[in-house]
Amino acid sequence: MKILHGIGASKGIAIGKITLCLNIDNHIEKKTIIDVEAELARLDEAKKTSVEALNAIYAKALKRVGEANSMIFQIHIMMLQDEDFYGAIQTAIREEKLNAEYAVWQAGQQFSEMFSQMDDEYMRGRASDVIDISKRLIRNLDTRLANGLDSLSSPTIVAAADLMPSETVQMDKEMVYAFVTQEGSKSSHSAILARTMGIPAVVGLADQFNELSDGAEIIVDGNTGDVILEPDEATRTDYRAKQEEFIKHQQELKLLKGTKAITKNGVEMEINANIGHPEDVDLALENDADGIGLFRSEFLYMESNQFPSEEEQFIAYKTVLERMGGKRVIIRTLDLGADKQVPYLNLPHEENPALGLRAIRICLDRQDLFLTQLRALIRASAYGKLAIMFPMIISVDEVRQIKGLVEKVKNDLTKEKIPFDPHFEIGIMIETPASVMLSDELAKEVDFFSIGTNDLTQYTLAVDRMNHSISKLFDSRHPAVLRMIEMAAQSAKKAGIWVGICGESAADTSLTEFYVKIGVRELSVTPSAVLELRRAVQQIDIK
Ligand code: PEP
Ligand code: MG
């Protein structure tokens, strides 16, 4: 038995066997081979296995989701058998003497690049399919890389270097007891994803990650960050009891559904949920959230091979608004850049991406994209109680530019006789020290502030939120951060606008009383933390 210590990123306890999912892009090796024929035979064998697997998946999907939705697997089989693609791999083995794994990976990259530049939308959509089939071939060539997040077939504990949002999207949640990762910190987006899914997670294991092996039994304690390798019987029994206790606690919290978050002295708080996908509304409703306090719209962009169209976005926003049935839904405009990249945006390499071209800076730079999103959002306002929020603001000028564009879209829609709600709220995220310092002026421009404590902590303390080696310094309770929050709250109060918090520390119940005292009236947290926070509010009594 061995105990490893990481960062507890999503609460809960899991006991099970590890499935080691190595990221192919980081582990692919380039080798020179001698026996070309043997390498070609290996490739043929991997292709045969891949086609068999795809046929089996197709047959299963046909029964479950019908012909139209299963067609994709037939397309994958055809692509695997495509002369050009397969021929390019064979040529690289024959002429460049490359190992089959690398030859496949290289052809996958080349063909994907080629597809993504085609004019035809259908063909552009094939760019990700060619990557999928390449990965399938590689997994059948190299046993080290055999497991993928998208191919889990029985419930397991996933161990991965990091969780890429693009991979977790394809993952079957039912198959995952817990996550353990080498990279990441409490406020990295992989940790946020795990919390949203309500799956226990320990992140940032760093070098200790190398101790994990495929199939080994482990216990993951997402509360403490402990990972116990090959536990003995006494430890297993101990953790089973802890697991039951945790489940009991969760059941007790369920009794709070239908109650309100009102302090003993009568202050009412709005406890909302943070989501990344329209489907996460299920989790928000299941946990009885008062509304959606942060819909990170960039995930729509990250799951796609190209910019989602106005219509696609409109449907996603409308779905969330309708399903929340008149409760407030705050949708944040796209916050790409830094750790959230999409290849089709073609952002240049940056030395300091967290300080680079990201979020509202991209939107004001690429106004065509921004206007498309604003149109989709404002059209969706007709279907519920929408509020639009803008990230990474550092100046009054940015807010005025944004408001000008919002007015333009409203005018266009009016001329086109497209319905929308003219009274939707506009707010900004307070997540840069500049926005705090200017909060008195910014408050006069908008309807609300939502404090993003993840980035506000990062920028106030100059501590990278992604860097696990300094994760101890990443402290959202640091006095400098708390003073920033208080200053923004005071500015909001003076201007008569409401202020909320949507960063991860909104869920820190040791800060709830402080937040209530300084005038914060909305807290938005991962869905699974809503009821715990409601209970914390109900216990507060400010004399
Ligand atoms: C934040 O920075 O606190 C925030 C809520 O936004 P994100 O975590 O998506 O950067
Ligand atoms: Mg942020």
Side-chain angles (χ1 to χ4, degrees):
M1 183 170 101
K2 187 158 187 186
I3 304 179
L4 315 178
H5 303 285
I7 303 162
S10 179
K11 284 185 185 167
I13 288 165
I15 306 173
K17 290 213 162 69
I18 298 178
T19 299
L20 200 55
C21 293
L22 297 179
N23 182 313
I24 290 181
D25 292 334
N26 294 341
H27 287 85
I28 199 84
E29 287 172 6
K30 186 177 183 180
K31 293 183 196 156
T32 307
I33 49 121
I34 298 164
D35 191 343
V36 168
E37 291 314 314
E39 206 62 10
L40 289 171
R42 239 167 41 84
L43 176 70
D44 283 342
E45 192 54 37
K47 176 176 149 189
K48 197 169 142 234
T49 318
S50 302
V51 171
E52 279 166 10
L54 281 166
N55 271 320
I57 297 173
Y58 172 70
K60 220 164 125 189
L62 200 59
K63 281 197 205 124
R64 262 186 32 212
V65 292
E67 172 107 37
N69 292 319
S70 317
M71 227 21 238
I72 188 66
F73 301 111
Q74 285 295 340
I75 295 173
H76 280 197
I77 294 172
M78 283 187 305
M79 288 173 90
L80 256 178
Q81 287 164 340
D82 175 73
E83 296 266 310
D84 286 341
F85 175 64
Y86 202 67
I89 304 170
Q90 288 171 316
T91 307
I93 295 175
R94 252 191 222 110
E95 292 176 8
E96 294 175 58
K97 305 273 182 291
L98 285 176
N99 54 320
E101 290 86 342
Y102 195 85
V104 171
W105 184 82
Q106 178 177 276
Q109 301 293 317
Q110 283 164 353
F111 277 72
S112 164
E113 175 80 24
M114 189 179 77
F115 280 127
S116 66
Q117 282 169 4
M118 290 188 173
D119 289 335
D120 184 83
E121 192 176 330
Y122 175 82
M123 294 310 283
R124 274 204 307 276
R126 304 281 72 80
S128 64
D129 292 315
V130 79
I131 294 287
D132 274 358
I133 59 166
S134 306
K135 286 191 173 166
R136 186 177 291 283
L137 271 174
I138 293 170
R139 289 205 183 103
N140 284 321
L141 280 163
D142 183 344
T143 48
R144 268 180 338 130
L145 302 175
N147 305 316
L149 275 179
D150 54 350
S151 60
L152 303 170
S153 54
S154 57
T156 187
I157 294 177
V158 169
D162 201 359
L163 299 175
M164 299 293 160
S166 56
E167 289 177 328
T168 35
V169 166
Q170 297 171 29
M171 187 190 75
D172 182 354
K173 262 188 358 188
E174 304 295 314
M175 294 297 160
V176 185
Y177 288 143
F179 289 115
V180 281
T181 69
Q182 183 169 19
E183 311 285 332
S185 62
K186 212 170 187 141
S187 61
S188 62
H189 284 96
S190 49
I192 294 173
L193 273 171
R195 280 197 288 279
T196 307
M197 291 186 278
I199 295 174
V202 171
V203 301
L205 276 177
D207 290 346
Q208 303 168 88
F209 185 81
N210 300 325
E211 310 256 354
L212 306 178
S213 56
D214 201 50
E217 195 186 345
I218 57 166
I219 296 174
V220 178
D221 186 341
N223 308 335
T224 61
D226 288 345
V227 171
I228 297 125
L229 255 180
E230 306 288 4
D232 57 30
E233 196 46 47
T235 310
R236 223 179 278 142
T237 311
D238 191 25
Y239 270 91
R240 276 205 200 98
K242 283 189 186 170
Q243 199 177 26
E244 271 168 33
E245 210 175 292
F246 183 77
I247 293 169
K248 203 169 135 224
H249 175 70
Q250 298 299 103
Q251 279 161 350
E252 277 166 17
L253 287 178
K254 284 197 182 130
L255 299 176
L256 295 181
K257 285 189 190 182
T259 66
K260 287 189 163 187
I262 305 179
T263 64
K264 287 196 172 28
N265 54 309
V267 179
E268 183 163 354
M269 298 287 285
E270 189 174 314
I271 310 291
N272 290 333
N274 291 351
I275 62 168
H277 306 94
E279 308 87 77
D280 295 341
V281 170
D282 288 342
L283 300 168
L285 293 171
E286 208 177 291
N287 289 285
D288 196 32
D290 295 326
I292 302 295
L294 169 64
F295 176 4
R296 291 181 163 95
S297 70
E298 57 274 10
F299 283 95
L300 295 177
Y301 293 71
M302 290 162 78
E303 282 157 29
S304 180
N305 300 317
Q306 55 196 320
F307 289 112
S309 66
E310 178 185 323
E311 208 52 32
E312 281 166 335
Q313 293 189 58
F314 166 67
I315 290 168
Y317 306 146
K318 174 173 175 266
T319 306
V320 174
L321 281 156
E322 283 181 335
R323 292 203 56 209
M324 290 309 291
K327 291 177 174 175
R328 182 167 22 220
V329 174
I330 305 176
I331 304 183
R332 175 175 75 186
T333 57
L334 76 90
D335 186 5
L336 289 171
D339 63 323
K340 289 179 284 190
Q341 294 286 348
V342 293
Y344 55 83
L345 198 55
N346 289 323
L347 287 181
H349 173 76
E350 296 179 308
E351 285 300 321
N352 287 306
L355 306 179
L357 186 58
R358 57 170 292 196
I360 201 68
R361 300 170 184 178
I362 298 178
C363 292
L364 291 175
D365 197 49
R366 302 273 308 265
Q367 293 194 2
D368 50 333
L369 294 181
F370 194 33
L371 286 168
T372 304
Q373 180 168 36
L374 287 176
R375 264 183 77 96
L377 281 166
I378 298 175
R379 281 174 58 198
S381 69
Y383 300 87
K385 188 175 177 191
L386 173 73
I388 308 181
M389 172 158 86
F390 302 95
M392 286 292 294
I393 295 296
I394 58 165
S395 73
V396 174
D397 179 57
E398 283 169 341
V399 178
R400 294 202 178 133
Q401 275 189 65
I402 293 167
K403 282 165 67 181
L405 294 170
V406 167
E407 279 314 302
K408 176 188 159 18
V409 173
K410 281 181 170 177
N411 288 336
D412 290 350
L413 293 176
T414 308
K415 274 189 216 137
E416 294 166 46
K417 297 197 168 43
I418 297 176
F420 65 92
D421 169 12
H423 304 297
F424 64 85
E425 290 175 300
I426 283 188
I428 55 169
M429 290 198 63
I430 297 289
E431 55 181 345
T432 62
S435 63
V436 175
M437 299 313 288
L438 296 177
S439 54
D440 53 345
E441 288 179 51
L442 290 167
K444 292 179 195 149
E445 300 285 333
V446 293
D447 301 309
F448 67 94
F449 282 166
S450 184
I451 303 173
T453 49
N454 307 334
D455 278 315
L456 187 58
T457 305
Q458 154 162 276
Y459 297 126
T460 302
L461 304 181
V463 174
D464 181 355
R465 65 191 272 190
M466 300 293 292
N467 187 340
H468 56 79
S469 65
I470 46 169
S471 64
K472 283 203 177 71
L473 295 178
F474 188 92
D475 178 13
S476 297
R477 303 163 48 86
H478 189 291
V481 179
L482 299 186
R483 281 196 204 179
M484 289 266 180
I485 296 173
E486 188 165 4
M487 188 170 169
Q490 276 168 356
S491 298
K493 200 169 171 186
K494 217 161 130 198
I497 63 168
W498 65 266
V499 56
I501 300 180
C502 63
E504 295 304 302
S505 77
D508 181 346
T509 50
S510 68
L511 287 174
T512 314
E513 184 164 336
F514 165 72
Y515 293 151
V516 175
K517 276 185 182 158
I518 62 171
V520 170
R521 290 296 173 263
E522 185 252 3
L523 293 168
S524 192
V525 295
T526 194
S528 58
V530 165
L531 293 171
E532 183 93 56
L533 190 54
R534 184 175 289 170
R535 187 169 73 165
V537 171
Q538 289 171 350
Q539 285 165 355
I540 290 173
D541 192 3
I542 302 167
K543 291 281 185 292

